[in-house]
Amino acid sequence: MRPASSVGSLNSSQKVRKEVRQIKQDLELRSQGALQSTCFFITDLQGSGSKTDSMSFWPSCCRRTCVADQQVKSLSSVLSQYQGFSGEDGGRKNCFGRSGAMLFVRVPVGTLVKEGSEVVADLSQRGQEYIAALGGAGGKGNRFFLANDNRAPVTCTPGEPGQERVLHLELKTVAHAGMVGFPNAGKSSLLRAISNAKPAVASYPFTTLKPHVGIVHYEGHQQVAVADIPGIIRGAHQDKGLGLSFLRHIERCRFLLFIVDLSLPEPWTQVEDLKYELEKYEEGLSERPHVVVANKIDLPQARAHLPQLQDHLGQVIALSAVTGENLEQLLLHLQVLHRAYVEAELKRGSQPLRW
């Protein structure tokens, strides 16, 4: 038989080894996870590396990203604050903690992302992304500090906080064609006549306070987006009548339709004043491909002004948005402008705007 002292020594050794294993298991669970931050507006603040038992830790690629989505038409669905998610805890047997999930904030095409007065992203194409904020690196578990002279480390480090940023979003309407004119020139009525858009129409100025985009359909699934820009007034480049708020939408339009109220005396002065305001707002803006559209030809006084307008400006498309007279000519010319734009973009190696 084995001596009693040997049995006692064996049981004592097994008990010690069992206690050591339990201590190690407890230490493995003491790793600290990543911290979580909060940000205002669009952020990507989640801490990425959670608790981990491994020898090393890789920072997570988790982030908050702005994505330009063609289906989103306004910024009304964007929240004022986004808060990231923390990573998960690490586990036993050198297991990494799971990184926090990515969050995509969908915004309309044409959204500007600003930090202070600086534009940090211009999401003018469908599918464009901007990483608004990065997640923080994860912490190191106690196994990271394992060494020959430290077989049971109790040291661990917390994860780092992610970025916290204050960003401002500004939407500039993106369209192929932009209707530019003074209030009550008939822009909204014309957009209703050539597309399925339904902007408000009334007999008083500034009926339209925000741009409306209508889609004109052609054969071969070709689509041309036309924007009804709110009416601008003289002095708009000095922000009279919310001029700057309206003019900024014209920047995104590839070609322009100058809508003239043909019933007013000296209608050619309207085009001159409109071009002046555009040029004062942004140099070269008035020189973009354009066509002059003389609206309200159904009124008697308008027909009397048409020859004078043609003498001053040359080619003019005279029509009536109310009766539909001569709308076909506008649609054909709109298609010509769109084809010229597509060809120019392809020659430059750029992808033309598609709807």
Side-chain angles (χ1 to χ4, degrees):
M1 295 181 62
R2 182 178 299 174
S5 61
S6 299
V7 175
S9 175
L10 179 63
N11 291 338
S12 175
S13 177
Q14 290 175 342
K15 183 177 180 181
V16 170
R17 285 198 296 270
K18 183 177 180 181
E19 290 177 353
V20 170
R21 284 197 301 269
Q22 184 62 43
I23 291 174
K24 286 185 176 181
Q25 291 177 358
D26 293 341
L27 290 174
E28 287 177 349
L29 299 179
R30 294 178 60 182
S31 305
Q32 298 296 318
L35 300 179
Q36 174 176 312
S37 302
T38 303
C39 73
F40 176 75
F41 228 67
I42 299 209
T43 67
D44 183 21
L45 303 185
Q46 63 194 43
S48 53
S50 14
K51 300 178 185 177
T52 174
D53 242 355
S54 58
M55 295 293 293
S56 61
F57 181 81
W58 290 93
S60 163
C61 60
C62 301
R63 53 183 178 263
R64 289 293 174 271
T65 306
C66 299
V67 183
D69 191 338
Q70 195 75 51
Q71 303 301 319
V72 181
K73 302 302 181 183
S74 71
L75 296 172
S76 59
S77 61
V78 178
L79 303 179
S80 62
Q81 178 175 314
Y82 286 91
Q83 178 173 312
F85 306 101
S86 297
E88 295 183 0
D89 295 347
R92 301 177 182 178
K93 300 181 180 179
N94 298 342
C95 292
F96 286 92
R98 179 179 295 178
S99 300
M102 295 176 61
L103 174 64
F104 290 92
V105 179
R106 303 196 178 275
V107 297
V109 174
T111 298
L112 288 179
V113 184
K114 293 184 176 181
E115 189 166 19
S117 59
E118 179 186 1
V119 177
V120 296
D122 183 358
L123 306 178
S124 59
Q125 297 289 336
R126 179 176 58 185
Q128 277 187 305
E129 297 182 2
Y130 171 68
I131 300 175
L134 295 172
K140 296 180 176 63
N142 55 282
R143 287 283 296 195
F144 180 86
F145 301 95
L146 183 66
N148 291 334
D149 58 348
N150 188 9
R151 306 307 301 171
V154 296
T155 304
C156 57
T157 61
E160 298 178 359
Q163 286 181 297
E164 181 173 351
R165 301 176 69 184
V166 177
L167 301 177
H168 301 275
L169 301 186
E170 179 181 309
L171 177 59
K172 292 185 178 180
T173 301
V174 176
H176 296 114
M179 292 184 177
V180 184
F182 289 109
N184 271 4
K187 299 182 298 298
S188 298
S189 299
L190 185 56
L191 185 64
R192 293 171 68 102
I194 64 176
S195 71
N196 291 328
K198 302 298 181 185
V201 175
S203 58
Y204 52 85
F206 297 107
T207 307
T208 303
L209 294 178
K210 64 179 181 178
H212 294 272
V213 179
I215 306 300
V216 182
H217 298 270
Y218 293 95
E219 294 181 357
H221 304 286
Q222 185 183 19
Q223 296 179 335
V224 179
V226 181
D228 171 18
I229 308 298
I232 60 178
I233 63 174
R234 292 170 179 84
H237 69 280
Q238 299 174 338
D239 205 21
K240 292 183 179 180
L242 298 178
L244 296 180
S245 300
F246 298 159
L247 285 169
R248 62 187 172 89
H249 295 287
I250 305 175
E251 295 180 46
R252 304 286 192 174
C253 300
R254 276 51 176 184
F255 44 91
L256 306 176
L257 306 178
F258 288 106
I259 310 301
V260 175
D261 186 349
L262 196 55
S263 64
L264 299 179
E266 299 182 348
W268 60 88
T269 59
Q270 299 177 44
V271 179
E272 295 173 354
D273 292 339
L274 290 171
K275 288 186 175 182
Y276 175 80
E277 295 298 331
L278 296 186
E279 199 65 24
K280 285 295 184 179
Y281 175 74
E282 180 181 317
E283 186 176 355
L285 188 58
S286 64
E287 300 302 322
R288 292 188 181 181
H290 63 271
V291 63
V292 177
V293 179
N295 194 17
K296 305 184 182 181
I297 192 64
D298 53 302
L299 300 179
Q301 65 271 30
R303 292 191 182 274
H305 296 153
L306 180 58
Q308 301 173 4
L309 180 63
Q310 292 173 333
D311 291 340
H312 282 82
L313 302 179
Q315 183 184 11
V316 174
I317 299 177
L319 53 76
S320 172
V322 175
T323 64
E325 181 180 351
N326 213 21
L327 285 180
E328 295 82 1
Q329 184 179 354
L330 172 61
L331 294 175
L332 291 175
H333 199 90
L334 191 62
Q335 189 177 32
V336 171
L337 289 172
H338 179 261
R339 286 176 178 173
Y341 154 72
V342 172
E343 292 176 359
E345 289 295 301
L346 294 177
K347 286 182 179 179
R348 292 169 48 194
S350 302
Q351 187 67 25
L353 174 66
R354 299 185 182 277
W355 285 78

